[in-house]
Amino acid sequence: MKYGLKIYKMLFPKNVTLKSLVLTFIQFLILFFLFLQVINGGFPSVLSLVFYFFSIFLGVSAVYAMRNANFNIVPNVSDDSIMVTNGIYKFIRHPMYSSLLFFALGVVINLHDMLTMALFVFLLVDLYLKASYEEKELCKKHKNYVDYMQSSDRFFPVKFVIRVKL
């Protein structure tokens, strides 16, 4: 029982708002429908598999960088949050969301139908709203988060790619 309560507190900080719960519910609902698409879609193409594996890589990298210090499924920032800027977070502020987007892109590539594309767009909008909400909270909690936003990208490491090319 004690362990279950610890997990609940880790996933849902004290200051959870209705907006964050709704955004999280929508996210999981879309992911559920995407998983149904994968199950019914047959064996994935090679390109889809590349996106799926990259999705797993991003998710594992994010968990490793945070070491479960700040893991929440809702975008509310806990009182004892720690700002993580190492590992994958050096380049991407929301690698867990990026992981979900790469998974969804893999599904779109594999099935390329209108329903899957619509689910991807809805997921992208939901995660954008969720990340924006979370970043407002993080700016209030961590004074140097604004500087971090200037040196990293929200979902895709565009600034890093441009720096490497120059």
Side-chain angles (χ1 to χ4, degrees), residues 26 29-37 101 104 107-108 113-126:
I26 291 169
L29 186 64
I30 294 168
L31 288 171
F32 171 75
F33 285 115
L34 282 169
F35 277 114
L36 287 180
Q37 293 288 87
L101 291 171
V107 178
V108 168
D113 64 4
M114 291 304 289
L115 174 61
T116 308
M117 287 185 218
L119 288 170
F120 173 76
V121 170
F122 289 138
L123 181 64
L124 180 63
V125 169
D126 182 67

Side-chain angles (χ1 to χ4, degrees), residues 37-137:
Q37 293 288 87
V38 169
I39 291 168
N40 296 323
F43 193 77
S45 67
V46 173
L47 187 55
S48 291
L49 287 173
V50 169
F51 276 83
Y52 295 157
F53 284 120
F54 190 66
S55 169
I56 292 168
F57 167 77
L58 279 174
V60 169
S61 297
V63 170
Y64 179 76
M66 340 186 224
R67 310 267 196 313
N68 291 327
N70 298 318
F71 187 76
N72 294 335
I73 62 170
V74 292
N76 298 96
V77 179
S78 62
D79 294 335
D80 59 346
S81 73
I82 301 165
M83 193 169 136
V84 177
T85 59
N86 62 320
I88 194 73
Y89 286 91
K90 183 177 182 178
F91 311 106
I92 306 171
R93 294 191 302 274
H94 302 280
M96 296 297 279
Y97 298 164
S98 299
S99 172
L100 298 175
L101 291 171
F102 274 98
F103 164 75
L105 276 173
V107 178
V108 168
I109 288 167
N110 192 48
L111 301 177
H112 45 77
D113 64 4
M114 291 304 289
L115 174 61
T116 308
M117 287 185 218
L119 288 170
F120 173 76
V121 170
F122 289 138
L123 181 64
L124 180 63
V125 169
D126 182 67
L127 292 177
Y128 177 83
L129 293 172
K130 197 173 170 186
S132 297
Y133 178 85
E134 187 173 5
E135 287 182 343
K136 286 179 188 171
E137 297 255 324

